[in-house]
Amino acid sequence: NHVIGIMYAGEILTCAVAGFVIAKLKTMKMRKWFIVIFSLVYSLCFFALYHTTTPGPIYVVCTIYVITEGVFCAGMWYFASIIPASPSLNAPTMAMVAIGQNLGMMFGAPIGGAILDATAMTGWNTLAIMVTACMLVATACMALLKLKNVKMDE
């Protein structure tokens, strides 16, 4: 469990750094594809975590995973803040993202547990495939976003 704690501590740092990097990118297209590429790598890292068996590659995948998850989180909130057509819609948009996250946590654990129970704890690979598929759908949705070119505050 200490490794998971270290990973999430690292994610806090990478999320903050990613926010600054996203803000420094000049165009909306650069920001969008920066986030989409990191989201794609994040999805593939999640899949690799459950299909890698030797310690060396696991540490490499975990390191990449921490970085990409931080960018994904920063990017998700960035998109949620710029998508609304008017500032009065920012709060409901942020609330929808937060509700979506909480629903994912609320239903994800029992569904994952049910898969593992049904497979006598041998279904980790199946679970990884399902979660990776969901992550790839989220990445595709990000890639399909049509964004207006918002000028970032200097």
Side-chain angles (χ1 to χ4, degrees):
N1 282 342
H2 69 283
V3 173
I4 298 298
I6 292 169
M7 286 176 62
Y8 284 114
E11 183 189 329
I12 292 168
L13 177 63
T14 59
C15 190
V17 170
F20 287 111
V21 170
I22 291 167
K24 292 295 181 189
L25 295 173
K26 299 289 184 206
T27 67
M28 184 63 62
K29 187 175 184 178
M30 288 172 63
R31 292 179 208 127
K32 174 182 166 179
W33 289 107
F34 175 79
I35 296 165
V36 168
I37 289 167
F38 272 84
S39 180
L40 179 61
V41 174
Y42 171 50
S43 303
L44 299 176
C45 278
F46 184 87
F47 182 80
L49 281 173
Y50 290 95
H51 292 85
T52 305
T53 56
T54 55
I58 288 174
Y59 288 124
V60 171
V61 171
C62 283
T63 301
I64 296 169
Y65 180 86
V66 166
I67 294 166
T68 57
E69 187 173 30
V71 174
F72 177 84
C73 292
M76 176 186 59
W77 289 105
Y78 167 73
F79 284 142
S81 72
I82 65 162
I83 288 174
S86 73
S88 65
L89 296 174
N90 275 357
T93 303
M94 295 290 187
M96 286 175 28
V97 171
I99 290 168
Q101 282 183 311
N102 289 328
L103 286 173
M105 288 186 275
M106 184 172 82
F107 291 115
I111 291 170
I115 290 169
L116 294 175
D117 283 348
T119 60
M121 293 301 285
T122 61
W124 286 99
N125 291 339
T126 303
L127 187 58
I129 291 168
M130 292 177 65
V131 172
T132 301
C134 291
M135 293 167 78
L136 290 171
V137 168
T139 301
C141 289
M142 287 181 188
L144 294 172
L145 283 174
K146 293 190 187 303
L147 303 171
K148 56 190 179 290
N149 202 4
V150 176
K151 181 170 173 65
M152 297 295 286
D153 292 336
E154 299 297 325

